[in-house]
């Protein structure tokens, strides 16, 4: 049962691909309040969803805002991350329903924050579409929702390899060193990411020829080593006379405008920038075609950044702030005024007032940015993806974005944004995966080892041991932090082994990913989806099902020699020491304490299931998909449908095939 | 075995009360490096200690700096908190030794951060004393160390009650409302804390008579209700003509000086301030006697704040920053200069350069602050404590400090500093207790519910359920955050029940605390101290022994319906629903999953032990210490030595007595 309610005159976000008829009935479950809805939560209710957000798989106990935000310091008390995903599922004893609010403006979800037993949804705009979905299980609700929003993005097969990133590899030479660091040490790798410094003065679709003089040769040279270079693209275009993108944007009115109709000036990486009006169809087509600049240099993948859009400052705000700072010069700054002074400077970035002071031309209408804020990253990424269909027809291009809104899942993946080298962020990576999967974002993962702050060897190893199960597997760290490439640690062998295991797992990961994408299913599922009657399983948030055959239980505590794992049913534990199986053991239902070394990965095969493993390889192309070793827990026999395809053909020309594996 | 090594001409910190003879031998265990020491860690080595710091009970895997720092946003990657505690224990298969570095300047402890198997200690000053202690067990090392540093501070018995704080209760009226909120709802309470706004313009030892016109009556009125008011004292003295403390300090040269010999100007709460030179004995005596102002108003307890000392800004730095900001006015702020601009403003507070630019008169010598930085809070608190011996002879005064150094444990407790309403900080509270205990700080606890950011009902309830086992039990929250007083939550009954249980536990908590203090033992112990051979127990960091009879295992995960508890041996689980026992059950050695409701407290009685419980009460005075109910797990019988005394007499006149309880 899907019911669609239209309130006011909502903007068409194109989140929903397959619209159902409007319902004239009363809205079920939710009580209508002045600015939204409320719902009484029962003690046993679990609230799933909300995509990219902090806290648990069960979202109860906090207040979340859908308000795409650049927050690399996010904590437990953060309310908004990079994406805005207004889909949730309430799952209780007696009922299970899903809610999707299709509105590109800010929405607040108070899930038992103000009152422990009340969910309150508050909208900032009176025009929206509301979908209520009702099914027996949360999994069915996800299926129904995904059929509404359309199929998930398919990355090329090589994008399931391991990628290494750093803000930044500043020169072609550094890129070559990173490639060598992996290849010489036999640490598998398929991608090296280029962060902002490959560009000339941070200008989109340029190459810094001083530091990357032979960019095209570098791309080809890496390609010969089985490595793709994946450059970053910024959401802002530098204001610079003579820079073609800037000039074209100005002439054609492709940039967002301020209230007076001038091109809106914001500070981003290059300093003063304009935002391409991604919501203006013409501007979007224009911007998307600019990716050609890199495609024709042999690039086959991109990541779109800063497209919340992040604003370091607006020109006007900066002026005002400098004026206000003057008044503090002569003040006796006490506890009150001192914090005001600090807050003033802090308020320069991503200021809500700035988001209210520029405008889009959306379907021919001038619309203030704050009313469509959450669409910017979506439409930027769509601009590229739609262009790829013309520029590289029939070919899958790797693409993932920092900011997102539901609908964008058809065009690209997302990475989980700028995170930190914290054990808590390792655990959050695990918890975020199923929430994003519910919303259609299947190709996703967090920056392994953490982007900001300094990593430690054990953190990176433990995070790799989780990261090998993420569709998007990338190690990334920020300028000024400790280097964390796998080959730089004392215990390089452990990193090599764990990443090597990823390559053994590839046929299974790819198969499960593609089946989930093609059948509107989930790749990573909470235990509560499989064992809804098991009161322990539904509250277990540090384990997860990956595909149909296995459960994972990563170690996320420093200095832990192992961890307690909960088995909702009898399973077979497989312990890998690096790439090799070191132990297999059937464990009964219940809690088990397992020692897990820093070089080990432990996983659990469900009864009646098979885990096919390849021999491995140092890049995806080397992996032999044919000769698989079948690990299984199948006292009665079992079979497994292994999906495969050429790994490069886009959805329109996709020719997938299933191979039945049997034991 | 205690060995003392003297290197260079160390400053006398008076951390060590009972000095041993200097050793002429080679320093054992540690390899001497250019700037300190190194030690090879074996995989199974556990490193305990370092007092107040982030991360685990086992300190391996991070780099810590002893550098007292005001950091209310502390995270996993924080290197310094409010205290500086240079004591650690390395505990391995073959050896167990302790190290104390007595130096008031910055020390860095790289415990397997740079290299997983290496501990590196780096000193910034070439003059120090080093103590190496060798025993069979970490517990014995703690005992030896504590005998060196002298007995721990004894708070009055009423300080083991529950306290409520807020930055701030702005008026006498608000204080009365908080008292009423507890008393009318029968939520036990013994203390209401006064944060900075009780003062006139944040001046130490003043009362704002506009908001607290009848301060003395308020003190007495609260006292009649069984509630003590506990005011805060700042480490800085406001620069204000006519303000007696300021005038006296200037005239007598009691303030810290800048390089030119002028009184050093810093911004703290009141704006421009001077720091009393707490290291100058005369100034210290003078400052300590100022507490008389509040003692004579009936005040019996204090908390010393901002004594790292925290610096919002120095006058000179602020000038420079405003000048530098000018240059940014006309700049195109790009990704590099924008972050420089933000960092510039951020760098105004607690800037290392400021700590290098003022001076103390320490034992007659002019000494730059950075060489004695970690002593400031210690000597400020000592100033008060020494004065109390004259002003209130024989009487225990409640005193705890934010900043500390080993040695201060003789004069006061510490609270764990400004924390946040995060689940991770609840867990950190648990982990920090034994580390502080090792260093002599027994009277301690964290701000329950979290100081900064917004709390939720479940967080406060779970934190209270841990907090009832902390010697210092205080709920505290910051200006601008959600109110979190126990009577304001929907589920007030749960808070009442949990705090009520604290009052039932008081005879045990007081007895265990006092015995630990008088015998140089620990109040909260890691499981590894009791079961060093149990490889699971030594890595279990989310449970703890409280005194001799019980183990606790708090819930620290949101939405968890319970948790897994590890029992290193057979124990009896007691489940309290509020104040009342709801279930008792003997559980065998091993892992157990237990459901634990938000209104419940679960604890575990060790075999052969007794847990005596009182009937409870709404303030400490009401608790009947005589008629105790004995819960026990004593199939063979057991006895318990209950320590008690009058609860107010200071160490010099203490007449404690032991009552033997038997089953």
């Amino acid at each position: 049962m899907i019911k669609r309610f239209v309130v006011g005159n909502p903007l068409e976000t194109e989140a929903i691909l397959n619209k159902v008829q409007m319902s004239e009935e009363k809205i079920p479950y939710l009580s209508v309040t002045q600015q939204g809805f409320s719902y009484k939560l029962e003690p046993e209710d679990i609230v799933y969803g909300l995509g990219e957000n902090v806290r648990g798989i069960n979202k109860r106990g906090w207040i979340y805002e859908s308000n795409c935000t650049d927050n690399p310091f996010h904590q437990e008390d953060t309310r908004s991350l990079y994406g805005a995903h207004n889909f949730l599922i309430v799952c209780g004893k007696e009922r299970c329903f899903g809610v999707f609010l299709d509105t590109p403006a800010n929405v607040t979800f108070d899930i038992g924050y103000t009152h422990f037993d009340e969910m309150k949804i508050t909208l900032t705009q009176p025009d929206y579409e509301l979908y209520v979905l009702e099914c027996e299980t949360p999994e069915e609700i996800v299926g129904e929702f995904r059929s509404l929003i359309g199929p998930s993005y398919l990355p090329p097969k090589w994008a399931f390899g391991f990628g290494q990133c750093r803000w930044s590899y500043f020169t072609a030479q550094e890129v070559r060193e990173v490639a060598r660091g992996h290849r010489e040490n036999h640490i598998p790798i398929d991608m090296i990411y280029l962060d902002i410094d490959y560009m000339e003065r941070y200008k989109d679709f340029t190459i810094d020829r001083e530091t990357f003089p032979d960019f095209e040769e570098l791309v080809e040279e890496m390609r010969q080593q089985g490595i793709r270079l994946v450059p970053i693209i910024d959401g802002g275009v530098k204001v610079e006379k003579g820079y073609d993108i800037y000039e074209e944007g100005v002439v054609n009115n492709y940039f967002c405008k301020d209230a007076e109709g001038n091109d809106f000036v914001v500070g981003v990486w290059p300093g003063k920038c304009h935002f391409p009006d991604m919501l203006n169809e013409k501007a979007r087509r224009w911007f998307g075609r600019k990716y050609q600049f890199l495609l024709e240099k042999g690039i086959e993948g991109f990541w779109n950044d800063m497209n919340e859009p992040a604003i370091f400052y607006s020109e006007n705000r900066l002026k005002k702030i400098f004026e206000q700072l003057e008044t503090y010069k002569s003040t006796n700054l006490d506890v009150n005024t001192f914090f005001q002074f600090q807050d003033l400077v802090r308020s320069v970035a991503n200021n809500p007032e700035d988001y209210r002071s520029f405008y889009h031309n959306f379907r021919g209408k001038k619309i203030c940015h704050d009313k469509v804020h959450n669409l910017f990253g979506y439409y930027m990424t769509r601009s590229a993806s739609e262009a790829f269909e013309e520029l590289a027809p029939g070919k899958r291009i790797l693409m993932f974005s920092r900011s997102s809104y539901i609908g964008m899942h058809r065009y690209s993946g997302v990475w989980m944004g700028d995170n930190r080298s914290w054990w808590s962020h390792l655990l959050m990576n695990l918890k975020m995966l199923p929430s994003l999967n519910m919303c259609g974002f299947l190709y996703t993962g967090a920056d392994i080892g953490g982007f900001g702050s300094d990593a430690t060897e054990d953190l990176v190893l433990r995070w790799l041991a989780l990261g090998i199960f993420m569709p998007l597997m990338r190690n990334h760290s920020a300028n000024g932090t400790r280097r964390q490439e796998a080959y730089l640690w004392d215990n390089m062998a452990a990193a090599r082994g764990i990443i090597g295991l990823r390559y053994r797992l590839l046929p299974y990961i790819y198969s499960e990913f593609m089946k989930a994408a093609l059948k509107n299913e989930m790749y990573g599922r909470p235990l509560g989806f499989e064992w809804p009657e098991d009161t322990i399983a539904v509250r277990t948030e540090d384990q997860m099902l990956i595909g149909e055959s296995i459960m994972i239980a990563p170690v996320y505590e420093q200095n832990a020699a192992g961890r307690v794992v909960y088995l909702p049913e009898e399973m077979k534990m497989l312990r890998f020491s690096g790439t090799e199986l070191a132990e297999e053991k059937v464990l009964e239902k219940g809690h088990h304490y397992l020692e897990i070394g820093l070089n080990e990965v432990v996983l659990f095969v469900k009864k009646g299931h098979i885990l096919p493993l390849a021999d491995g390889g140092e890049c995806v192309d080397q992996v032999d998909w044919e000769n698989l070793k079948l690990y299984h827990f199948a006292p009665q026999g079992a079979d497994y449908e292994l999906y495969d395809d050429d790994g490069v053909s886009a959805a329109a020309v996709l020719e997938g095939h299933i191979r039945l594996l049997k034991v």
Side-chain angles (χ1 to χ4, degrees), chain A residues 216-271:
Chain A
E216 293 79 356
E217 290 74 22
L218 181 70
V219 172
E220 177 53 25
E221 183 187 324
M222 289 296 113
R223 194 62 203 80
Q224 292 300 322
Q225 295 184 32
I227 296 172
R228 263 94 173 176
L229 297 187
V230 183
I232 196 168
I233 303 293
D234 180 10
V237 166
K238 186 174 196 304
V239 172
E240 185 180 289
K241 284 274 169 219
Y243 167 38
D244 56 346
I245 317 248
Y246 164 74
E247 298 284 3
E248 290 172 25
V250 170
V251 168
N252 294 298
N253 279 312
Y254 286 158
F255 293 129
C256 291
K257 304 287 186 186
D258 66 16
E260 285 76 42
N262 303 311
D263 293 331
F264 184 66
V265 181
V266 288
V268 199
W269 299 331

Side-chain angles (χ1 to χ4, degrees), chain A residues 272-319:
Chain A
K272 295 201 176 72
C273 284
H274 296 321
F275 286 137
D277 186 355
M278 303 295 182
L279 274 67
N280 171 340
E281 201 172 333
K282 278 190 193 155
R284 189 163 80 240
R285 282 180 56 83
W286 162 75
F287 190 80
R289 292 192 64 92
K290 294 299 171 191
Y291 286 76
Q292 172 75 352
F293 173 82
L294 288 156
L295 288 175
E296 68 191 16
K297 290 179 168 42
I299 294 298
E300 298 168 80
F302 303 89
W303 45 312
N304 283 344
D305 194 13
M306 301 291 278
N307 51 5
E308 292 73 25
I311 297 179
F312 288 169
Y313 58 88
S314 71
E315 197 173 32
N316 292 334
R317 172 159 317 280
L318 202 61
K319 254 188 227 153

